[in-house]
Each structure stands twice: as C-alpha cells, then as structure tokens.
C-alpha cells in the first residue's frame, strides 16, 4: 500500500548477502507496482545501513552494488554505520538524536537528509 501511494522510495540495504537477495525481490515488486498501480513511483535511492566496514565481505558487497546497479539506481553516498546505541534507541522508541546526538549515526542521518533535499531540488528543476 505504501508503494501505491508514494512518489518515491528509499531502499535501506545492509551490505550482506541476504539483504542483497532481498533487494532483487523488492526491485521486482516495485516494477510490478509501477506497471499495475503507480506508474509515477520512483526509486530515490538505495541507502546502505548498519554498515560495518571491518569485514572484507561488507566492503565487497557495497562495491558490487555500486558496480551492478549504481549506473541505473542512485546509491546514496551517505552510509549509516552499525551502532549498538542506535539499535537501543530504536528498541526503546527514542530518536538517535535524543539518545546519542553526537554519534556517527546521528551525523550520518543528518548527512542523508541533506542528500535527499539536494535530490529533491534536482528533481524539481
């Protein structure tokens, strides 16, 4: 229902194998929604989230996403880092800005907001 009513969608993806497999399924669903219900639906971008750059696998998956779909779907430059405090904030229903406003996660979400605003300005030109 959300895809039927939306103008655009941001797809959060963790840089791991199962999330990327799920991304393929979601892209198929979005294509069906476009054909059958909402032809104006756009993919504003893919947001890498819960990113832990320490494992080589995570870096390889992020690079692979950029190489395979980065030419046709925007991949936000902002990456939301993995954080135990962010998970705790979500679990308790408290904003990361209230729970840990000086964290890297809070800074990343602020950067994402700026990136989305710039994207919207570009669309409206």
């Amino acid at each position: 229902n959300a895809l039927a009513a939306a103008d655009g969608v941001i797809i959060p993806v963790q840089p791991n194998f199962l999330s990327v497999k799920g991304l393929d399924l979601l892209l198929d669903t979005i294509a069906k929604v476009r054909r059958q219900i909402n032809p104006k639906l756009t993919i504003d971008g893919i947001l890498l989230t819960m990113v832990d750059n320490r494992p080589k696998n995570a870096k390889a998956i992020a690079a692979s996403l950029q190489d395979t779909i980065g030419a046709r779907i925007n991949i936000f430059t902002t990456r939301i880092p993995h954080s135990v405090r962010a998970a705790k904030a979500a679990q308790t229903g408290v904003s990361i800005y209230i729970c840990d406003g000086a964290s890297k996660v809070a800074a990343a979400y602020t950067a994402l907001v700026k990136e989305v605003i710039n994207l919207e300005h570009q669309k409206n030109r």
Side-chain angles (χ1 to χ4, degrees):
N1 288 339
L3 294 175
D7 295 326
V9 61
I10 295 173
I11 304 170
V13 176
Q14 292 180 29
N16 64 50
F17 177 76
L18 293 177
S19 292
V20 173
K21 284 294 186 191
L23 174 62
D24 289 338
L25 296 171
L26 181 57
L27 292 175
D28 290 343
T29 299
I30 290 170
K32 288 178 187 174
V33 169
R34 277 187 187 145
R35 280 193 309 272
Q36 298 173 1
I37 300 169
N38 184 358
K40 294 182 180 179
L41 179 63
T42 62
I43 298 172
D44 291 334
I46 293 173
L47 172 64
L48 290 173
T49 186
M50 297 182 72
V51 176
D52 181 355
N53 283 321
R54 291 175 295 179
K56 290 180 183 178
N57 189 37
K59 289 179 184 178
I61 290 172
S64 176
L65 273 174
Q66 187 65 47
D67 291 343
T68 57
I69 62 175
R72 59 187 170 97
I73 299 174
N74 176 44
I75 298 177
F76 289 101
T77 57
T78 301
R79 295 179 177 190
I80 309 300
H82 183 271
S83 166
V84 174
R85 285 187 178 175
K88 185 178 179 181
Q91 182 181 19
T92 59
V94 176
S95 164
I96 188 64
Y97 294 103
I98 293 171
C99 182
D100 193 6
S103 69
K104 290 180 181 180
V105 174
Y109 276 112
T110 300
L112 175 65
V113 168
K114 292 176 183 176
E115 204 171 341
V116 170
I117 289 170
N118 286 336
L119 180 67
E120 288 300 313
H121 283 279
Q122 291 172 5
K123 279 183 177 179
N124 293 326
R125 286 185 184 174

